[in-house]
Each structure stands twice: as structure tokens, then as C-alpha cells.
Amino acid sequence: MLAQSASKPNEVTVDWNKTVIVSRSTPTLQVVVNPMLRSRSPIHDASFQAVKNLGADYVRYVPWLPYPRLGVAELEPPTKEATSWDFSLIDPMTKDFLAATEGHSTVMNFSTIPAWLFKTDKPVTYPADPNQVYWDYTQGTELKDASGKDLGDYFARLVSWYTKGGFTDENGKQHSSGYHYNFPIWEVLNEVEFEHKTTPEQYTARYDAIVSAIHEVSPDTKFMGLALADPSADPHYFEYFLNHANHKPGIPLDYVSYHFYASPTPQQDINSWQYTFFDQADRFLATVRYIDAIRQRLSPQTKTDTNELGVILASDEAEIAESKAHPDTIPTLYWNAAGALYAYLYAELAKQGVEVIGESQLVGYPSQFPSVSMIDWKNGKPNARYWVLNLLKDNFHPGDQLVATTLSHHSDIAAQAFVTPAGKKLLLINKRNRIIDVTLPSEAQTANLLTVDEASGEATARASKHDGTHLTLPPFAVVVVSVP
């Protein structure tokens, strides 16, 4: 790898007195239920300790469809004789998550609807082994109870289990938990255009039913909607859902959420990823601007949470059906490339005023998506994706001023300056798999640096001091320059 020619420096210019926007943005992550987060997993303790050490707000918790026994509290339909309510496998991870995030806001999303609530040709089965992945649980498109009452009752009872000490089941039997947690935000379902092929109209009706029922048992909870996997595919979801006229009176639209994953092709390697990741990110950022125009027109008080941001490598997609996706096939420098992508999205989404910017996810292996993990599955150490998030979370906060920042050659690096209560800071991101020389603004030529790159490995950002006009950025480096 050769350093970029000094004759064409990436010169950064900052007008510290020109505020572009006052930040409303919080960097955070999501925690998706996975066997590696269960109590007997060798990385259980380290994973939840990483969440605790991060101390982020708006952390998203998702018991998700591949593991029905770990995410669905009533797997069989109730009869007059008995119900199947069972939290014995669900509680341990949920309690660990709530302990790790104590003192911070959370976004709870038990995203999987019991399959028996849907019309299906035959009853939906699921593995006896709670750790066995099963991708075919979300069958059916129409609810048996078109009114949505049974759907709302399920979620109200689930929320009551954790917030009100228990609930009364369909047969009048009391189930006591003793839990009195606070759920500040509840996100209603996940990637609904894929799960049950939910239409905008169906989703809005189900959102209203769930929100109404949960609000009765947890009146202070705010609500988040849509969680779309592919937000650019069909703007009608946003046009319909964000129109208050399509909801029952009094239904809140506190947050809208959606996702982005860069998706390189199987033929690409890291030398192609350096372009694919950021080109696809720019297309997503254009989608965000379009969605936000809809939001501002229909429901300007609704906030935005981009709560799944990451990369899904083609090796994950190709092997996921057979549960053979494996992190050992991923090059080490990939974690830095994916971390640089998240840092870039954070800076650009902050300029658009997005309130919550969530990196996906804590643990994505086994059987889900190894390339989306933030924890090494062998030793439990956080990788560069985690440490980039940690770097952003520690240095940038809502209320910071993003100030005018320009680059003479902008394609290979990204830069954004902030005025914070702790002083002036400059975020630099190398988007390329090569060393790049940056020309710093004069006031930043003597500075303290925090750097996440290949050399920092599975450790926190390395601290150093810099004195000089030029700063050399290693491949996919993310650097915070603090001006004395």
C-alpha cells in the first residue's frame, strides 16, 4: 500500500463559527437474541459487560424469529383447559440485557408474533431445541382475529410480565413475575414487509392494536413503528403509516424506524468493498432525505431511529440457509471497514438531524450473520465495529454543534468538525484500503488523537499526540482529533 501523493493532499478546512446543525443524534447499537448470549455461552459475560461498559442510550433489544423458543412467550394457542405461557427461556437474556443497560433508555422489540395467531394451512411447527435456528416460523399473512384484539392482548400480557409483576391469562389464571421494569420505548414488530409480507395497511392496523393494548398497561411507554428492512423499496409504507388520518384517534407516532445494510456481491473482496460500502451508503442517505420529507409533511413531531446499520457480506447470505456462515472466513481488516462505514453514516445522519443512529448488532453468530457481529465469537472481545461506536459515543452527543467542514479532495476520506462542551473536535474517516495523507486545519495541527484502526485491534481507540500539518490515516481508520 502506498501513501497518497503529497501533491494532492486531502485538505480539511473548518469554519468553527458556522454551525450547520445542532446535533440531535445518539449513536447506539442493537442486541438481538442469540444462543451465544445465553448464560452458558463462553462469551455471555463478556458480551453483556461490553453493553454495560458502553453505557449507550436507546439500545435496541430484539428477541427475533430464528429462535421461537427464545422469543415467543406463548407458542401454542390457549385452550379452555390450559395456556402455554412460558418465560423460562426468555427471561434470563432479557434480565441480563436490562441489567446491562440499567440507567439508560432502551428500545424493546419482541418482534415475533405467535404463529398460531395467523391463518395457516396447518399448524406451524418449531424446533424442540431452543438453540436450533428456524427461518420458517413467520408463516401466514392474515390474522385469525381481524380486529387485532388477540394480537394486542398477547403483547399487553408480555409487557405486563415485565412491567407490572405479571398478568392474567386467557383463562383468568394469574401469572406472577415480580418484575417491575420500565420500558421507555416499544418498537412494534420488525422488517414487516418481509415478515408475514405485511402491507402498509395491515401494519398500521396491527400497530394501532398493539399500541392501544400496551398503552393500557404501560401508559408512559413511547412507541416506534415500521422497522423496515428495505426503506427505499416502497414509499407507500411511510406515506400511509405517517398519516395520522390512517390511525385510530390518539395513537402516538413517536418514532419511525428503518434499516440499512451494505451488501457486496460474492465476486467482491475488500478492495471492492471499500467502494461498494460507501457508494451504497450514499444511496441510503438519499433515501433518508426522501423519507424525511414525507415525515416532515405528515408527522413532523415523529423522531427517526435508523436502528440497524451495518454490512451483510455475501458469504453470510450464501450460507445462511444451511447455517454454515462462519466468521473465520472474514478478513480482519473487514471489521475496520465496517466500522468506518458506521462512522460515516453517523456523521452524515447527524447532519440530517436523525435522532438515533444504531449499529447492528452485538452478536450475530452462530446461524445469523457473522459479518454483523461486534464481539469475537471465540474470545468475547469487542471488535473494531464496537470500538468505533464507543469512540463516537464518548466524544459526540446531542447538543454538539456540527460546523462547516470542507475537503479539497472528498472522495477518499470523510471529515466533520464538532464544537462540543469538551472543546473542538474533528472526526476523520478513511474510506479506503490504503494509507491516506490528510492536511489538517491550522488550529488542529497540534492535537490529541484517538484512533481505531487495524493496529488498535480488539482494544479501545489508541491515544496519541500529533504535531504537524499532515496526518497519515491508516486504511479504514476512524480518528477523533481533539483541538487543545
Side-chain angles (χ1 to χ4, degrees), residues 374-400:
M374 301 168 74
I375 302 291
D376 188 307
W377 73 284
K378 291 181 178 178
N379 60 26
K381 292 183 178 179
N383 62 35
R385 298 183 70 236
Y386 173 94
W387 291 118
V388 166
L389 171 58
N390 184 77
L391 179 68
L392 298 174
K393 183 263 172 188
D394 284 353
N395 284 277
F396 307 115
H397 307 88
D400 294 346

Side-chain angles (χ1 to χ4, degrees), residues 6 11 13 34 97 212 252 260 303 309 377 409:
E11 183 176 4
T13 305
N34 185 290
F97 170 79
S212 297
F260 164 74
K303 298 177 180 179
L309 301 175
W377 73 284
H409 298 275

Side-chain angles (χ1 to χ4, degrees), residues 35 65-70 126-135 323 367:
L65 68 91
Y67 307 101
R69 292 186 178 272
L70 302 180
Y126 46 88
D129 179 359
N131 292 341
Q132 182 180 337
V133 68
Y134 182 67
W135 293 104
S323 300
S367 74

Side-chain angles (χ1 to χ4, degrees), residues 35-49:
M36 295 299 271
L37 293 177
R38 299 189 70 192
S39 59
R40 294 184 180 179
S41 161
I43 67 169
H44 167 275
D45 292 355
S47 297
F48 283 107
Q49 189 63 48

Side-chain angles (χ1 to χ4, degrees), residues 228-446:
L228 291 184
D230 190 1
S232 65
D234 187 355
H236 184 53
Y237 280 97
F238 297 99
E239 289 282 357
Y240 193 88
F241 175 75
L242 289 171
N243 187 340
H244 289 261
N246 294 323
H247 293 267
K248 294 178 180 178
I251 293 292
L253 303 179
D254 298 307
Y255 293 83
V256 66
S257 58
Y258 47 92
H259 308 156
F260 164 74
Y261 291 95
S263 301
T265 66
Q267 294 75 29
Q268 294 180 350
D269 61 14
I270 197 162
N271 290 313
S272 300
W273 297 345
Q274 63 181 321
Y275 303 107
T276 299
F277 288 5
F278 295 94
D279 288 348
Q280 292 184 359
D282 286 338
R283 291 201 294 272
F284 170 68
L285 292 166
T287 295
V288 173
R289 284 189 284 273
Y290 182 70
I291 293 169
D292 204 55
I294 297 172
R295 181 197 63 81
Q296 290 184 44
R297 171 166 48 84
L298 293 175
S299 188
Q301 78 284 1
T302 300
K303 298 177 180 179
T304 299
D305 185 348
T306 51
N307 54 16
E308 289 190 32
L309 301 175
V311 179
I312 297 178
L313 291 179
S315 57
D316 289 10
E317 295 280 17
E319 298 172 352
I320 199 71
E322 299 179 14
S323 300
K324 292 182 179 179
H326 202 286
D328 287 354
T329 64
I330 299 172
T332 301
L333 194 57
Y334 160 79
W335 306 111
N336 296 98
L341 174 66
Y342 175 70
Y344 176 69
L345 287 168
Y346 167 77
E348 294 300 316
L349 291 168
K351 284 192 280 188
Q352 293 198 45
V354 170
E355 283 83 4
V356 186
I357 303 170
E359 190 173 24
S360 175
Q361 67 188 54
L362 185 67
V363 174
Y365 178 81
S367 74
Q368 292 180 24
F369 302 94
S371 58
V372 190
S373 288
M374 301 168 74
I375 302 291
D376 188 307
W377 73 284
K378 291 181 178 178
N379 60 26
K381 292 183 178 179
N383 62 35
R385 298 183 70 236
Y386 173 94
W387 291 118
V388 166
L389 171 58
N390 184 77
L391 179 68
L392 298 174
K393 183 263 172 188
D394 284 353
N395 284 277
F396 307 115
H397 307 88
D400 294 346
Q401 299 171 59
L402 283 75
V403 296
T405 309
T406 56
L407 287 162
S408 58
H409 298 275
H410 64 273
S411 61
D412 293 331
I413 70 165
Q416 179 58 53
F418 297 74
V419 176
T420 79
K424 297 176 180 178
K425 298 186 179 186
L426 175 63
L427 174 63
L428 296 173
I429 303 153
N430 184 350
K431 301 193 288 184
R432 301 294 178 242
N433 185 24
R434 64 178 184 271
I435 296 169
I436 294 179
D437 190 52
V438 178
T439 302
L440 295 172
S442 58
E443 61 272 25
Q445 291 175 10
T446 299

Side-chain angles (χ1 to χ4, degrees), residues 75-141:
L75 282 164
E76 298 295 333
T79 67
K80 293 180 180 179
E81 291 74 31
T83 64
S84 63
W85 287 98
D86 184 358
F87 290 85
S88 61
L89 298 177
I90 299 172
D91 277 355
M93 272 186 289
T94 304
K95 290 165 65 178
D96 288 340
F97 170 79
L98 293 169
T101 56
E102 186 176 3
H104 299 277
S105 56
T106 55
V107 179
M108 304 298 290
N109 183 349
F110 280 72
S111 64
T112 307
I113 300 171
W116 55 265
L117 285 171
F118 284 88
K119 297 177 182 178
T120 55
D121 293 336
K122 57 184 179 180
V124 177
T125 60
Y126 46 88
D129 179 359
N131 292 341
Q132 182 180 337
V133 68
Y134 182 67
W135 293 104
D136 200 29
Y137 184 75
T138 53
Q139 298 179 34
T141 59

